[in-house]
Amino acid sequence: MTDLLIQLNEPQREAVVNTSGPTMIIAGAGSGKTRALTYRIAYLLQQGADPFSILALTFTNKAAREMKERVMQLIGDSNGRSVWMGTFHSVFARILRAEGHHLGYPQNFTIYDSDDSKRLIKSILSELNLDPKAYNVSFVLHRISNAKSNLFSPIDYINSPEIQTADAAANKPLTGEIFRAYNARLKRSDAMDFDDLLYNTNLLFRDFPEVLHKYQHRFRYILVDEYQDTNHAQYFIIKRMAALHENITVVGDDAQSIYAFRGANIQNILNFKVDYPDHNLYRLEQNYRSTKTIVNAANGIIENNKDQIKKTVWTENEEGQLIGLLRATSDSEEGTLVANSIFGHKMSKQLPNKSFAILYRTNSQSRSIEEALRRQSIPYKIYGGLSFYSRKEVKDLLSYFRLVINPNDEEALLRVINYPVRGIGKTTIEKLQVVSNESNSSIMEIISNQDHRLKDINRGTLNKLGDFATMLKSFSVQMESKSAFDLAQHITNSIGIIAALKEEDSVESVSRIENIEELLNAIMEFSEREPVASELGEDGVPARSLAHFMQEVALLTDADKKDDDENADYVSLMTIHASKGLEFPYVFIVGLEENLFPSIQSLGSRAELEEERRLFYVALTRAQEKVTISYAESRYRWGSLTMSEPSRFIEEIDSKYLDMPRRVVPHKKAVMSQLPFSNSIQKGVENKFSDNANSSQEPFESSDIDSFQAGMVVEHQKFGKGKIIQMEGAGANRKATVFFNGIGQKQLLLKFAKLKIIGD
C-alpha cells in the first residue's frame, strides 16, 4: 500500500490513513474527492478490514461503478468485489427485499418511477372528481415526495396545521387526501416509489430494532459520497446505522450543495461537527481541473456566502485565459454570439465539438442556443433528453416483465392489458378499476377469480381477460427455470409486440423493433456480467434473475441514463444542475440576468440566494481551460419581450478575471471582433459579412463611467432617454438609478449598462 500512498498529496494521504472514528473530508471542486474515497476503502482492506463490513453509499450507479473499478485495480478483484457499494436507493432496496415482510411487503415489490407515480395520481384525481388543472400532477407529486423525504406519513401530513395552511393558500386543500389514497394504492399494488425506499427503511430501523441491530453489526465502516446532497431521510438512516461503531466517513463540498429542490439539506454537512464533536476534519483544497483564473474567480464568488465551511481552493495549473463576457441585445443574439464564439475557437485551435458545453439555468433557454448552433452547422446534444428506458416500446415490454414478477402491479397492468390489441376496451378497463376500488383488491386478483361483479362484461371479453391472466401466470411459472434473458426473449415472442410493430410498417416501427432488440441485448449483458458484493444473494449466488434486472433498471438515476456514444463529437447542452460532476475544456454559462440567474424564485431569503450562488460556483468549476458567460438585455418570456439587467453574480466576479466586451450592440462585424480568430481568419469572416453590414450606422459610444452625476440626461441603446435620479458606489462598481420615459425606473451597473450623456 506504501506505493499507492505516494500517489496522493499530503491532505489526501491523511484523509486515507486515519480510518477510525467519525471523519469529514471537505473536497473542493476538482480536488480528487473520488480518489480519496476509493483509496480510503482500499487502505481499510489492506489493513485487514473485512470487505463485507464496508458500506459505501453514492448518488449514482455511475459513481459506484467507477469506485468499484478503482478499488479492484488497487487491491485486487476478490476483496474489491466483496465491498457493499451502491446508491442509497439500490442498497436500501436490497435491504427492503430481505426485510420488507416486517412492513407487510412481499420480496417481489415493484419500484415505481415518476411516470408511474404521475399516472397513478392522475387516476386518483379522476376518482376523487378533482380538476387536474387545479391539482397539477407534478405539484402534487412534489408535495408527496417532499413529505416522504421529511419522514411525514399521510396522517402526519393531514394533521400538520402548517402544511394544511400552505396547501389551502395554494388552493389545493385536498392534497393530503390524495397523498393518503396514493399510498394506499401503492400498497395494494405491492409497490414502492423512490421516496418509499428511504421512508420505509427509516420505518424498518425505527420500529424493528432487531433489524437495525443486524445491519449495525454487519457494517463496521460506512462511507458516504456527496454528503451535502443528502436529505432528511438519508441523514437519519446513516446516523442510525453508524451509531454502534461511529466509523462514518462523509465526503463532500458544501459549496456544491445545489439540490434543495429535491430535498437536499445543506445543514447535514454543516452540522456534522455537532453530531460528532470528536470528528476528524480534512480539507482537500488543491484543484487539479481548472486554471488559476477560474479557481480564483470561483473562490471570490463563493466567499459571499455566509453558510459555509471555510476553505481556500488553489491550483498549480497555469494562469489561463480571462473569463469571457458576451453582452447581447436579445436572447436570440445571445445564441448567435455563443455559436460564433464556439465556431471561432474550433477554427483557431482545431478543437472537436465535445470540448464545449453550454450551461443554462432553465431548460427553456436552450431554444435560441439550438437555433444558432444549427445555423452554424455545429452538432449538439441536449443532456437529459429522453432516455432509452423511457421510450414507449421499451416501457411497454418492461411492463410485461413487471407483471410477471408482481401480478398486483396495477400501473403496469393498465399499460399493457390491451397492448398489443386483444379486444379489451376502455369500458371494460374502467369496470375493472371500479370493482378493484370497491373490493380493495388488485385488478389481477379480480380477473383471475372471475369476480361475480364482472357479470356485466360479455363472455367473449371475460375469456380474453382470462387468457391474459393465464398467459402471465405461465410466464411467472418459468421464472424459476429460465435465465433472465431466456425468459425475456420468450415473453417478447409470446405477447406479439414484434408482430404488432411489423404491421405498422413504418420507419418509426423499425426503430422501435431495434430498441426492443437492444433491451434484450442489455439483459444478456446483465446475465453475463461478473457480480460484485451488492449483487450477491444471502446464499452467495449472483442475483441474475429477471427481477434483479428490473430492479437495476428501476433504480437508474438521470446521470446513469445517458446512453450516448462517449466518442460522439457534439457540443453538450444542459442545465447547470445536470452538469454537476462533469468537466469540459470550454464552458459557456448563458443567461446571467437578474430574475433568471439568480432565479426570481430564489430571492425571498438569504438561504435561497446562497444556493443560487453555489449553483453559479458549480457552473464555473466545470471548466478546465476557459469560461465564457453571457447575458441578454432583453428576452422573450411568455410571449412578451421583457428588459433584463445583468446578474449580480457578474458584479461579484473580480474585474481582473474578466475580459470585458468592447461595445453594447454586437453588429456582425463587432461580433466577430470578439472571437478568438487569428487576424487572417477574422479578416476573411469580416469580408464575408461586409455586404450585409450597415456600414453607415454610427456605433453607440458610451460615456466614461466617472462622468455621470445625478440630474444628468442620458441615453441607453434599448431603454432610450432618461434622467439619473441617484448615484451610488465608486470606480468599476458605480451604479445609476435612471428614470426612462415610458419604461420607468432602472438601476444600472455602469460598467455594463453603457450609458451616453446627452445633457445636464
Side-chain angles (χ1 to χ4, degrees), residues 451-467:
D451 191 286
H452 67 280
R453 281 169 290 192
L454 300 180
K455 60 181 182 297
D456 295 339
I457 299 176
N458 67 60
R459 175 48 53 188
T461 302
L462 285 175
N463 289 339
K464 291 169 185 173
L465 290 171
D467 291 344

Side-chain angles (χ1 to χ4, degrees), residues 41-57:
I41 294 170
Y43 187 79
L44 281 168
L45 294 170
Q46 192 76 13
Q47 297 303 304
D50 181 355
F52 289 97
S53 72
I54 300 173
L55 171 64
L57 296 168

Side-chain angles (χ1 to χ4, degrees), residues 374-434:
R374 284 197 295 267
R375 286 194 296 269
Q376 286 278 24
S377 298
I378 298 174
Y380 66 89
K381 187 79 172 181
I382 296 181
Y383 191 100
L386 187 66
S387 74
F388 175 78
Y389 290 103
S390 296
R391 292 165 184 163
K392 180 187 181 301
E393 61 280 3
V394 174
K395 294 208 76 167
D396 288 338
L397 188 50
L398 291 176
S399 292
Y400 275 101
F401 297 166
R402 283 167 52 173
L403 280 171
V404 172
I405 297 161
N406 173 16
N408 293 329
D409 186 341
E410 186 172 302
E411 289 306 306
L413 183 143
L414 292 173
R415 184 180 185 101
V416 299
I417 193 170
N418 195 41
Y419 182 79
V421 175
R422 53 178 57 91
I424 300 173
K426 182 180 179 183
T427 302
T428 300
I429 294 171
E430 289 174 348
K431 177 66 175 177
L432 290 171
Q433 290 178 285
V434 169

Side-chain angles (χ1 to χ4, degrees), residues 176-212:
E177 294 301 324
I178 301 169
F179 184 8
R180 194 206 307 257
Y182 172 78
N183 256 25
R185 290 279 286 276
L186 282 172
K187 194 72 169 63
R188 191 173 81 194
S189 295
D190 291 333
M192 298 186 198
D193 64 17
F194 250 49
D195 297 302
D196 284 327
L197 297 176
L198 303 179
Y199 180 91
N200 286 331
T201 302
N202 269 293
L203 209 59
L204 187 67
F205 288 167
R206 186 195 72 185
D207 296 348
F208 299 91
E210 69 278 12
V211 177
L212 175 60

Side-chain angles (χ1 to χ4, degrees), residues 44-87:
L44 281 168
L45 294 170
Q46 192 76 13
Q47 297 303 304
D50 181 355
F52 289 97
S53 72
I54 300 173
L55 171 64
L57 296 168
T58 68
F59 276 85
T60 68
N61 293 293
K62 180 182 177 183
R65 191 162 52 247
E66 289 176 354
M67 286 172 58
K68 287 173 190 171
E69 290 170 356
R70 289 197 194 186
V71 170
M72 288 189 289
Q73 289 170 2
L74 292 173
I75 50 87
D77 283 7
S78 56
N79 278 341
R81 289 190 181 280
S82 299
V83 175
W84 271 54
M85 203 177 299
T87 65

